[in-house]
Amino acid sequence: MSVSNLAEAIDERGGAASAPSSRIRLMVSDVDGTLVNKAKEVAPATVEAVRRLHAAGIAFAAVSARPPRGMKLMVEALNVDLFGGFNGGSILRRDFSVVEEHFVAADAARAGIALMKPRGASIWVFADNEWFVTDPDSTYVAGETRTVAFPPTVVEDFGDHITRAGKIVFSSTDFDMLAASEPELQALAGAGATARRSQAKYLDMTPPGTDKGYAVRAFARHYGVALDEVAVIGDMSNDLPMFSTGGLAIAMGNGAPEVKEQAHFVTLTNEEDGVAHAIDRFVLPRGPRA
């Protein structure tokens, strides 16, 4: 099947209950698995498609589970004015000045670590613009270093960094354990944190009351755009709060089944310029200058 025919087949698989918005003035994208390919690069086709968005009068923002510092290459490649890290726990401008910043509650952080450490999870704490680990040789540290483009700081214990954590990650090769732990971790954290998997191998604790839907609302306020005029795109379950907030939800072709089920449309994969395809097929025809 050709790419164009594949796109026609994929487009029919969205399953959102509500009708997609007919007018879009802002697009918000996830990063890993969406904006970047497997090599963690922003493809030239994506850069050009975002330029077409701006030319059509549509603003563009991005939000990721990554720490803000780990989004530098994406911010520079796409020249975004506003972006969010830690699943919306931090909102920043292009120059990395902070618009707002939130932290995981210290009690929730300590309780989460006490729950997940005996289960064999490797624990990472992102705080004070650094990434702290106690075991630099754990399975996914090298890969995450390539992703965020800065190395971890090795510590014997996390000390009072816990009190300023923008994100705590529990990584493991036991994906089923992480999936089973997700609701338990959220119940334990209560109002002190949001617990969601950002990838099959990562279970994240991020600041309470913030998620990618929160980021979409913050971006919409900044640009003066109604929520039903926001298009969102993502691939994982932590992107679903965006889907329930925006007016047009697009899932990546490589997305999780539950994400595709909640989308209005499904685009190509992140290896096939899925974001560029989504912009041209679903977003630009709904732009204010269309």
Side-chain angles (χ1 to χ4, degrees):
M1 183 180 290
S2 69
V3 170
S4 60
N5 289 338
L6 176 61
E8 293 290 344
I10 286 177
D11 293 349
E12 301 301 320
R13 286 165 48 191
S18 62
S21 174
S22 60
R23 177 180 167 85
I24 297 299
R25 295 174 55 211
L26 167 64
M27 183 175 184
V28 179
S29 178
D30 166 52
V31 177
D32 292 292
T34 303
L35 266 183
V36 300
N37 55 27
K38 291 180 181 178
K40 302 300 181 181
E41 299 168 338
V42 180
T46 302
V47 175
E48 291 303 317
V50 170
R51 286 177 181 163
R52 290 194 291 277
L53 274 184
H54 290 307
I58 302 172
F60 181 83
V63 59
S64 174
R66 292 188 192 190
R69 182 177 169 187
M71 298 174 71
K72 185 175 186 291
L73 296 178
M74 180 279 301
V75 169
E76 292 175 347
L78 296 174
N79 201 28
V80 298
D81 291 322
L82 205 64
F83 67 99
F86 299 142
N87 287 335
S90 294
I91 307 294
L92 299 94
R93 303 178 186 88
R94 185 193 310 175
D95 63 1
F96 282 76
S97 59
V98 174
V99 176
E100 55 181 275
E101 187 175 39
H102 306 270
F103 303 113
V104 176
D107 289 347
R110 294 187 181 99
I113 290 171
L115 175 71
M116 299 302 296
K117 187 175 182 178
R119 299 182 181 187
S122 178
I123 301 163
W124 306 342
V125 173
F126 291 87
D128 302 323
N129 208 33
E130 298 288 346
W131 166 25
F132 299 99
V133 304
T134 56
D135 180 8
D137 298 319
S138 62
T139 304
Y140 298 115
V141 167
E144 188 69 6
T145 300
R146 289 190 294 272
T147 295
V148 301
F150 68 92
T153 298
V154 182
V155 294
E156 292 186 8
D157 63 71
F158 298 115
D160 67 355
H161 296 298
I162 288 290
T163 66
R164 298 180 298 278
K167 182 174 72 166
I168 297 173
V169 177
F170 304 104
S171 68
S172 176
T173 57
D174 189 343
F175 301 165
D176 291 340
M177 180 274 290
L178 292 180
S181 297
E182 182 175 347
E184 189 177 351
L185 182 61
Q186 182 61 78
L188 182 66
T194 298
R196 276 201 177 89
R197 282 171 297 146
S198 57
Q199 299 184 46
K201 60 190 177 184
Y202 296 156
L203 174 54
D204 300 342
M205 290 182 78
T206 49
T210 64
D211 55 22
K212 292 188 179 181
Y214 179 91
V216 168
R217 292 190 291 274
F219 298 151
R221 286 194 303 271
H222 173 84
Y223 289 108
V225 171
L227 290 176
D228 63 2
E229 295 179 320
V230 181
V232 300
I233 185 168
D235 70 311
M236 284 295 292
S237 60
N238 67 335
D239 297 318
L240 290 177
M242 293 200 298
F243 282 33
S244 61
T245 303
L248 173 65
I250 305 166
M252 296 296 293
N254 51 286
E258 65 269 24
V259 176
K260 293 178 180 178
E261 289 170 4
Q262 297 299 315
H264 293 110
F265 301 107
V266 181
T267 185
L268 301 173
T269 72
N270 63 328
E271 291 293 289
E272 300 168 306
D273 299 327
V275 169
H277 172 263
I279 287 171
D280 289 334
R281 187 173 182 87
F282 308 127
V283 182
L284 285 175
R286 293 172 166 84
R289 300 176 189 169

